[in-house]
Amino acid sequence: SQTIHQWPATLVQPVGSPLSLECTVEGTSNPNLYWYRQAAGRGLQLLFYSVGIGQISSEVPQNLSASRPQDRQFILSSKKLLLSDSGFYLCAWSRGGENNEQFFGPGTRLTVL
Amino acid sequence: GQNIDQPTEMTATEGAIVQINCTYQTSGFNGLFWYQQHAGEAPTFLSYNVLDGLEEKGRFSSFLSRSKGYSYLLLKELQMKDSASYLCAVRPPYNQGGKLIFGQGTELSVKP
């Protein structure tokens, strides 16, 4: 069966510090991978998606970036965090192709102070 | 552009039936999804509609009308554990990595 992992589960960082969130998927090959952010009481905002190694599509211009160094690894980064980067970050995967549901990881709750 | 509308919150009674509506105006359409999200947890997949009509899955059903840009999620025999946020999401047309555009979610409170 497939599983998706995210770490860390929670993170408190000062403004201006760097960020690295990691997501890995097990039990599948060539997945589509996604990063979402959810502000308190709000819906999910798609940040990045990837259909293969090294292929990243950005949905919202901001100070975040994403990388996919391996088939089942997706990393969200920032060089300098802003207060507005606080939120619940969710990684998701779906089977390759266009018609499959997405499965979400447990999320990382980020607080920027 | 993309616009997906859901009511912000709803309240219903245990054992009753509730219908959560979702309307969308998007640049193309390739399917509509419903997810359930309990507070502090990740969303979990409930249903998928790509053709008009009703899809039934146990106590949960989802309906789609593509011509009206409208969907609803129907929850029957409500239980306290159904208290959660329900997210409507639209999939844009092909060649966009299967991404989803989410609405703001409907917070459902089930009362005894």
Side-chain angles (χ1 to χ4, degrees):
Chain A
S1 63
Q2 299 84 21
T3 56
I4 178 169
H5 305 278
Q6 286 186 245
W7 64 91
T10 60
L11 191 60
V12 180
Q13 291 285 101
V15 169
S17 63
L19 174 74
S20 181
L21 302 181
E22 190 161 344
C23 170
T24 59
V25 182
E26 296 177 354
T28 188
S29 297
N30 304 315
N32 293 336
L33 296 171
Y34 311 86
W35 277 112
Y36 292 89
R37 176 170 61 201
Q38 186 174 36
R42 304 294 299 277
L44 276 67
Q45 179 188 33
L46 179 64
L47 302 175
F48 302 94
Y49 68 90
S50 172
V51 299
I53 296 175
Q55 300 180 59
I56 307 295
S57 296
S58 175
E59 290 292 297
V60 184
Q62 54 198 309
N63 69 320
L64 299 172
S65 62
S67 61
R68 185 171 177 173
Q70 301 180 44
D71 182 45
R72 290 168 289 176
Q73 183 184 29
F74 205 22
I75 298 172
L76 183 70
S77 303
S78 174
K79 292 182 179 178
K80 288 186 177 182
L81 283 168
L82 307 173
L83 286 174
S84 57
D85 291 325
S86 294
F88 191 38
Y89 286 82
L90 289 155
C91 180
W93 76 275
S94 68
R95 288 181 177 81
E98 301 276 345
N99 295 323
N100 301 301
E101 66 267 33
Q102 293 181 14
F103 300 95
F104 286 82
T108 295
R109 189 160 302 282
L110 172 67
T111 302
V112 182
L113 301 175
Chain B
Q2 321 278 8
N3 190 43
I4 301 172
D5 289 315
Q6 305 177 234
T8 303
E9 52 188 27
M10 299 181 70
T11 302
T13 304
E14 191 176 16
I17 299 173
V18 71
Q19 178 175 310
I20 303 174
N21 296 324
C22 172
T23 58
Y24 62 90
Q25 299 93 39
T26 57
S27 302
F29 177 84
N30 189 28
L32 187 141
F33 294 76
W34 284 96
Y35 282 81
Q36 180 191 60
Q37 185 179 25
H38 285 98
E41 298 182 7
T44 55
F45 169 74
L46 289 177
S47 68
Y48 168 61
N49 296 69
V50 67
L51 299 176
D52 290 352
L54 188 68
E55 294 282 342
E56 297 188 78
K57 194 183 291 186
R59 294 190 298 114
F60 291 42
S61 303
S62 57
F63 171 83
L64 175 67
S65 169
R66 288 172 296 170
S67 62
K68 295 182 179 179
Y70 168 68
S71 173
Y72 68 72
L73 180 70
L74 193 70
L75 290 75
K76 303 176 184 176
E77 302 170 16
L78 279 173
Q79 302 175 10
M80 299 298 291
K81 67 178 183 178
D82 297 329
S83 292
S85 182
Y86 291 85
L87 306 173
C88 172
V90 171
R91 170 159 285 162
Y94 287 101
N95 297 323
Q96 297 191 64
K99 72 182 187 184
L100 295 177
I101 308 299
F102 281 84
Q104 294 302 296
T106 298
E107 190 70 37
L108 174 66
S109 297
V110 180
K111 306 293 185 185

